Amino acid sequence: KCRGDIDQGTNLIEVQKLLMAILNNCGNIYTHFHFLEETQRCFENLRIVLAASTPDMAIDDDYNFFFLNALFQTKELCFAPAA
């Protein structure tokens, strides 16, 4: 495909995954330095991005990593390091 032929839905999914990765990694860094308010903010924003996701994303392995990480982090804030 040429660059101009890329589906906008595919672009949106890639941007959402990038945003989730950034939020996850920032949360991991904040957790390491015990910045709890910033960690909480990253976690809340990650949940917002997940809530805005489309059903198509559920089959994506990267999306599932962030979804499961957020799902099991309901009480304890611990971000999993991601590449």
Side-chain angles (χ1 to χ4, degrees):
K1 281 185 167 181
C2 292
R3 218 176 173 172
D5 295 339
I6 296 175
D7 181 4
Q8 284 187 347
T10 301
N11 273 347
L12 179 60
I13 290 171
E14 294 303 315
V15 169
Q16 284 180 301
K17 289 192 304 185
L18 178 61
L19 181 56
M20 288 187 290
I22 291 169
L23 290 168
N24 185 77
N25 289 349
C26 286
N28 190 17
I29 292 166
Y30 289 139
T31 299
H32 178 76
F33 291 107
H34 305 285
F35 297 147
L36 299 181
E37 286 183 33
E38 290 83 357
T39 301
Q40 181 67 33
R41 196 170 313 123
C42 286
F43 191 66
E44 290 169 0
N45 288 329
L46 179 60
R47 285 181 178 259
I48 289 169
V49 174
L50 287 166
S53 299
T54 63
D56 296 339
M57 291 186 72
I59 60 171
D60 186 272
D61 289 337
D62 295 328
Y63 170 83
N64 285 326
F65 169 82
F66 297 114
F67 178 80
L68 292 173
N69 187 39
L71 183 66
F72 292 114
Q73 302 295 332
T74 56
K75 295 184 181 175
E76 183 180 333
L77 290 174
C78 294
F79 282 83

